[in-house]
Amino acid sequence: MVLLVRHGLTAGTGKVLTGRTPGIPLDDRGRDQASALAARLACVPLDAIVTSPLERCRQTADAIASARNGHPVAVAEDEQLAEVRYGDWTGKPLRRLAKEPLWRVVQAHPSAARFPGPDGESMPDMQHRAVRAVREWNARLGADAVYLVCSHGDVIKSLIADSLGMHLDLFQRIQVDPCSLTVIRYTPLRPFLLRMNDTGGAVSGLVRPARQDQPAAGLRGRSGDGDAVIGGGAGG
């Protein structure tokens, strides 16, 4: 069984395509996220912790390794689990990249996307190396192993898509938040996705905000038959 963890937040998360830029650490929010996840996982014995070599992943993995609740485990690095090689896009603001023609390909047809520049990688190549890495660790650790992999959003999304038998062109439908937990159990027959994008937080983020043209909940008008208007829409 593999526990997939995306690294915590950095100062550039959601603003810049950091890629493989060296020296990008977790910020205060990311460190808090990593500590919280480490505490949640402290009671889960792990046979190994494997991480992308990039600093933000290594810091997240080290935080988890330091809170083992009497079950110490070393952290191993695996280059195959590193971030996508975004080539010439690396370090560019996301707003700027969103105007590039390739952006639409990445969003709608990622299996055809290769990032520009001599070190740019294709999305299928990224998925192949990530799946290969997990399969190799499965074989190395054995069928009964429980281990953790700390990697990056697109890498984890590609592993989820593979576990579901989903074409890579559909993987943008998957969301993997910073410091989220995804769990896949591998068997000789097929993988089973047990948990996805679990951040262990409250459910307040699932509540639809009130529309500006509607009164707040509890102050809405009543229907003609005297019954209160329920929720914000049918079938909510």
Side-chain angles (χ1 to χ4, degrees):
M1 186 162 65
V2 184
L3 282 59
L4 300 171
V5 171
R6 184 184 173 189
H7 63 80
L9 287 164
T10 73
T13 302
K15 302 173 186 176
V16 176
L17 191 62
T18 303
R20 297 196 178 198
T21 304
I24 305 295
L26 301 177
D27 61 13
D28 289 342
R29 301 168 301 164
R31 286 189 288 271
D32 288 345
Q33 288 177 324
S35 295
L37 180 57
R40 289 178 61 202
L41 296 177
C43 63
V44 180
L46 297 172
D47 294 288
I49 296 176
V50 187
T51 184
S52 157
L54 292 169
E55 185 173 356
R56 55 195 184 272
C57 281
R58 180 73 203 213
Q59 289 179 320
T60 304
D62 284 345
I64 295 169
S66 68
R68 287 288 69 229
N69 217 21
H71 304 285
V73 59
V75 177
E77 294 184 357
D78 189 334
E79 178 72 22
Q80 295 184 99
L81 296 165
E83 180 62 286
V84 183
R85 294 185 183 92
Y86 290 116
D88 293 347
W89 277 24
T90 301
K92 302 287 180 63
L94 291 174
R95 283 190 176 185
R96 175 179 169 185
L97 294 174
K99 300 176 183 178
E100 296 285 341
L102 180 60
W103 182 272
R104 182 171 179 81
V105 179
V106 172
Q107 298 301 317
H109 193 28
S111 67
R114 176 177 289 277
F115 293 96
D119 61 341
E121 183 177 34
S122 75
M123 296 295 267
D125 284 347
M126 175 274 293
Q127 184 182 43
H128 293 160
R129 65 171 165 82
V131 171
R132 181 172 61 245
V134 168
R135 296 289 186 176
E136 288 174 356
W137 280 100
N138 289 348
R140 184 180 311 177
L141 296 171
D144 296 328
V146 177
Y147 68 102
L148 183 142
V149 165
C150 186
S151 190
H152 306 268
D154 281 345
V155 177
I156 294 173
K157 285 163 60 177
S158 76
L159 289 167
I160 294 171
D162 173 76
S163 75
L164 294 173
M166 176 188 292
H167 196 284
L168 187 61
D169 283 346
L170 302 178
F171 99 135
Q172 296 291 20
R173 302 183 182 200
I174 299 168
Q175 181 156 323
V176 175
D177 291 321
C179 247
S180 62
L181 174 67
T182 293
V183 181
I184 301 173
R185 178 165 59 89
Y186 287 85
T187 75
L189 181 61
R190 65 174 68 90
F192 292 86
L193 181 64
L194 305 182
R195 184 175 301 203
M196 185 175 75
N197 199 37
D198 173 18
T199 57
V203 297
S204 58
L206 304 178
V207 179
R208 181 170 56 187
R211 286 170 43 186
Q212 293 184 354
D213 59 347
Q214 289 182 338
L219 299 178
R220 294 174 181 152
R222 295 180 178 272
S223 61
D225 61 1
D227 293 331
V229 177
I230 300 174

